[in-house]
Amino acid sequence: MDFSITPDQRLMQDSLVRTLTVASSLDRVRSFAGDPSDKGADIHAALADFGLSGILIPEEFGGLGLRLLDAALAAEALGRSVSPGPFLGAYVLAPLALRLAGSKSQQSEWLPKIASGEIIAGVAIAEQVAGARDGAGVTALGGKLSGKALFVTDALIADIFVVADQAGDLHLVRGDAPGLTRSAMTTIDQTRPLGEVGFDGTPAERLEGGAHALDSLRDAGWTLLAADTLGAAQVMIEKAVDYAKERRQFGRVIGSFQAVKHMCAEMAAELEPCRSLVWYAAYAFDDAPGEASLTAAHAKAHLSEVGRFVARTSTEVHGGMGITDLLGLHFWFKRIGLNRQMLGGPERVRRLAAQIQGLTA
């Protein structure tokens, strides 16, 4: 199928990049990363004002009613600025879960509040998508949840949670529900806070279509993480090229040396084909559902590898300056690193891609 990015979509992405230049500047990112008590309320407000909180929510509930391709373009812009604001779980996966699996009353109650930015939704699906660690996992019995979920998006600031149990069913849990506890998890990426959420007989509302919706949430999550890596890696290339034009060694700018030229050219050659892969994966989610899971898996796995290559090579071009906080290159480096592992590393994702194609059991 043929598809292309429309002028309106390009304008939306460019406008978001300009918004994030102010709302999520490198100084703001650095202050957020250095202060565990910073909840990024100003960044959340800026994203909600832009309309990102309702990007996938139908217009009847106060949203923009756009498609996953639009969300992927937004994720690319967020990756460029390593924005700490909520997006993947709060604005994409949670609204999708309610749209695909929630009842009319659940949609009417929560989607307008998410669209307006009034509430933030956390999402706990990592155990079912990426595999559970020892002691992790959530069970449901009699309308109550028990256990714990790891790598929960926006866990410390969420007002509601979408939680997948061990059977693959989805549940909606209020943030102030009895028996619910939350704590921060330490990861390499300080721009995307994740948390551990515990449940001890915690009341929950089941989303009736959850088993079917979980696969769609997985595909959307993989695609958006790939898009975020695409944006972050593009910035790392641009920073490497700019630095190579300025840094002088032996009386010459280092960009004049053949070895440095080749490093920059190889980064660009590896990353550029990824753009169409990510965009098509996002397009397929809505317009070619039979290809959605496979293309999402390919996008996630391939961007994980290319992103890591770009992150390492860009840092190498910068030499010793590449690891200093002054440049802040490490924020993009770590963002790419966490994207690689979130919702499954490339090895696990490739295994599922092989299963989809019937290449393995």
Side-chain angles (χ1 to χ4, degrees):
M1 296 183 182
D2 294 331
F3 80 100
S4 61
I5 303 301
T6 68
D8 286 345
Q9 288 172 319
R10 178 63 73 188
L11 178 62
M12 181 275 291
Q13 187 184 52
D14 291 343
S15 298
L16 180 56
V17 169
R18 289 194 294 271
T19 296
L20 291 169
T21 300
V22 177
S24 187
S25 65
L26 181 57
D27 285 340
R28 182 67 185 94
V29 170
R30 186 179 282 111
S31 69
F32 179 93
D35 183 3
S37 65
D38 188 346
K39 300 186 184 302
D42 57 324
I43 301 174
H44 168 54
L47 297 182
D49 288 344
F50 188 86
L52 281 195
S53 54
I55 192 167
L56 295 184
I57 295 175
E59 293 182 20
E60 63 181 297
F61 298 115
L64 300 179
L66 300 180
R67 306 167 83 78
L68 196 73
L69 180 54
D70 301 287
L73 294 172
E76 192 178 335
L78 292 164
R80 286 189 63 89
S81 67
V82 288
S83 175
F87 182 69
L88 177 63
Y91 300 162
V92 176
L93 300 185
L96 276 177
L98 286 163
R99 275 178 45 195
L100 298 173
S103 64
K104 286 295 183 183
S105 62
Q106 289 168 331
Q107 292 174 356
S108 299
E109 181 178 4
W110 298 111
L111 287 179
K113 295 179 180 179
I114 295 175
S116 68
E118 179 182 345
I119 66 170
I120 294 175
V123 176
I125 62 172
E127 281 74 36
Q128 285 62 44
V129 174
R133 295 188 176 187
D134 288 344
V138 178
T139 58
L141 181 63
K144 296 184 177 181
L145 302 183
S146 298
K148 69 178 178 181
L150 304 179
F151 302 101
V152 181
T153 62
D154 305 306
L156 300 184
I157 60 175
D159 302 289
I160 61 171
F161 292 92
V162 173
V163 183
D165 65 23
Q166 291 178 343
D169 293 324
L170 296 176
H171 306 266
L172 195 65
V173 182
R174 296 174 183 267
D176 58 357
L180 185 146
T181 59
R182 51 180 112 186
S183 58
M185 292 186 67
T186 301
T187 70
I188 61 169
D189 180 14
Q190 295 170 303
T191 71
R192 186 187 286 123
L194 299 174
E196 174 183 322
V197 178
F199 306 94
D200 184 8
T202 304
E205 300 177 37
R206 186 170 181 269
L207 301 180
E208 294 301 326
H212 165 72
L214 185 57
D215 287 346
S216 294
L217 297 189
R218 175 202 65 200
D219 296 343
W222 283 350
T223 303
L224 270 292
L225 287 168
D228 192 279
T229 291
L230 175 64
Q234 182 62 50
V235 167
M236 294 198 78
I237 293 177
E238 293 168 4
K239 287 182 175 294
V241 171
D242 290 343
Y243 185 78
K245 291 177 180 179
E246 297 175 357
R247 173 65 171 160
R248 302 182 68 85
Q249 283 284 1
F250 309 111
R252 297 166 55 185
V253 293
I254 64 172
S256 66
F257 298 125
Q258 190 176 46
V260 177
K261 290 180 184 178
H262 285 185
M263 293 166 71
C264 294
E266 189 174 4
M267 285 191 288
E270 289 288 337
L271 187 66
E272 188 58 33
C274 297
R275 197 174 310 279
S276 58
L277 175 61
V278 172
W279 288 358
Y280 187 77
Y283 166 83
F285 184 87
D286 292 299
D287 295 283
E291 303 177 31
S293 293
L294 184 58
T295 54
H298 283 321
K300 174 65 162 67
H302 191 59
L303 265 295
S304 295
E305 303 292 14
V306 172
R308 183 171 68 172
F309 167 76
V310 169
R312 289 177 171 179
T313 307
S314 175
T315 304
E316 187 176 351
V317 169
H318 282 83
M321 288 295 292
I323 59 174
T324 64
D325 188 59
L326 177 65
L327 290 187
L329 199 66
H330 61 93
F331 289 116
W332 285 271
F333 190 107
K334 294 172 182 176
R335 179 86 162 218
I336 289 171
L338 182 60
N339 285 347
R340 176 185 172 88
Q341 295 304 128
M342 274 188 74
L343 299 183
E347 298 81 9
R348 182 180 181 89
V349 176
R350 287 196 195 97
R351 188 159 53 247
L352 177 63
Q355 292 171 353
I356 293 172
Q357 297 173 90
L359 301 177
T360 186

